[in-house]
Amino acid sequence: MKKIAVILSGSGVFDGSEIHEAVLTLLALARAGAQVQCFAPDRPQMHVVNHLTGEVEADDTRNILVEAARIARGEILPLSALDATEFDGLILPGGFGAAKNLCDFAVAGTECQVADDMMLAARQFIEAGKPSGYLCIAPIMLPKIAGKGVKGTIGTDGETAQAFNLMGGEHRSCPVDQIAVDEARKIVSSPAYMLAGNLLEAEASINALVTRVLEWID
């Protein structure tokens, strides 16, 4: 049975993992018969956003792992416990948590840094020649993680694509139901809710990515 690690960044599109993307990823993997273990950083998230009003709750603090456990139904481990030798592949759903909690692109732009625990986990898979999948805004980390010339997509947003290229990546514009593939590094990315207008479009995007990750394992 194929074993896939899924890294979450909280719970909620504006300050954590995009919940639809996370659940659709888990569903696609379950349908394919893969075994999944979720992980998340055990530290405070950048900030807390009221998802009804869109406003930052200045007096609220939350832990990324504790929040992500809501999506994983409690079946989740600290990101520091992720050992790539125990898994066949890695997938990261998007949501602004990827750009706020796994790296700081949301505030630092092209000068962003990937969090140490995220960098260590992601590089383990690349160095081992194991496939990785990055959804939505999560691919913005790829130039920092995988190095100059890495191919990836965040869809068709020009400003974000330019940032990807300025950091050393090679952005590929991509419609919602297609993927960008870096064969040399075994990295696949897809736009998901960077472009998806509804749940079905997001599902098509995620299914294409999950399929490619699992094909590499075969």
Side-chain angles (χ1 to χ4, degrees):
M1 180 180 290
K2 299 167 188 174
K3 296 182 66 177
I4 306 296
V6 174
I7 297 178
L8 302 177
S9 58
S11 178
V13 59
F14 299 129
D15 58 12
S17 288
E18 211 296 324
I19 295 173
H20 292 174
E21 289 182 3
V23 173
L24 287 170
T25 296
L26 298 175
L27 178 61
L29 289 167
R31 281 177 171 160
Q35 181 180 341
V36 177
Q37 176 62 59
C38 291
F39 295 87
D42 185 8
R43 48 184 166 79
Q45 59 189 56
M46 177 183 286
H47 56 210
V48 179
V49 176
N50 181 322
H51 279 59
L52 183 61
T53 65
E55 297 177 353
V56 174
E57 301 283 1
D59 297 329
D60 198 356
T61 59
R62 300 191 187 185
N63 178 281
I64 303 168
L65 177 63
V66 171
E67 291 302 295
R70 296 174 181 271
I71 298 174
R73 295 172 58 86
E75 297 295 325
I76 193 166
L77 296 172
L79 184 53
S80 60
L82 176 50
D83 181 352
T85 64
E86 299 177 354
F87 295 90
D88 301 305
L90 171 70
I91 296 180
L92 278 79
F96 281 108
K100 293 178 177 179
N101 301 328
L102 302 182
C103 72
D104 61 355
F105 178 79
V107 294
T110 57
E111 300 302 315
C112 71
Q113 297 295 318
V114 177
D116 290 343
D117 49 9
M118 179 63 228
M119 182 73 83
L120 178 62
R123 283 187 169 171
Q124 284 184 58
F125 285 87
I126 296 171
E127 292 167 2
K130 296 181 177 182
S132 306
Y134 290 72
L135 290 158
C136 191
I137 193 61
I140 201 64
M141 294 184 282
L142 287 175
K144 300 287 185 176
I145 291 171
K148 188 174 182 180
V150 64
K151 300 174 180 64
T153 188
I154 45 75
T156 57
D157 180 74
E159 185 175 349
T160 312
Q162 183 181 28
F164 189 94
N165 290 335
L166 287 172
M167 288 190 288
E170 295 181 11
H171 185 264
R172 300 288 188 263
S173 292
C174 191
V176 68
D177 60 344
Q178 295 183 20
I179 56 177
V181 177
D182 188 312
E183 292 283 357
R185 298 170 177 85
K186 290 188 178 178
I187 295 173
V188 56
S189 49
S190 66
Y193 270 111
M194 287 294 286
L195 288 180
N198 55 55
L199 201 59
L200 292 176
E201 290 182 354
E203 182 183 31
S205 187
I206 291 163
N207 285 349
L209 179 139
V210 169
T211 296
R212 191 67 183 91
V213 167
L214 296 179
E215 285 175 350
W216 263 320
I217 296 169
D218 289 334

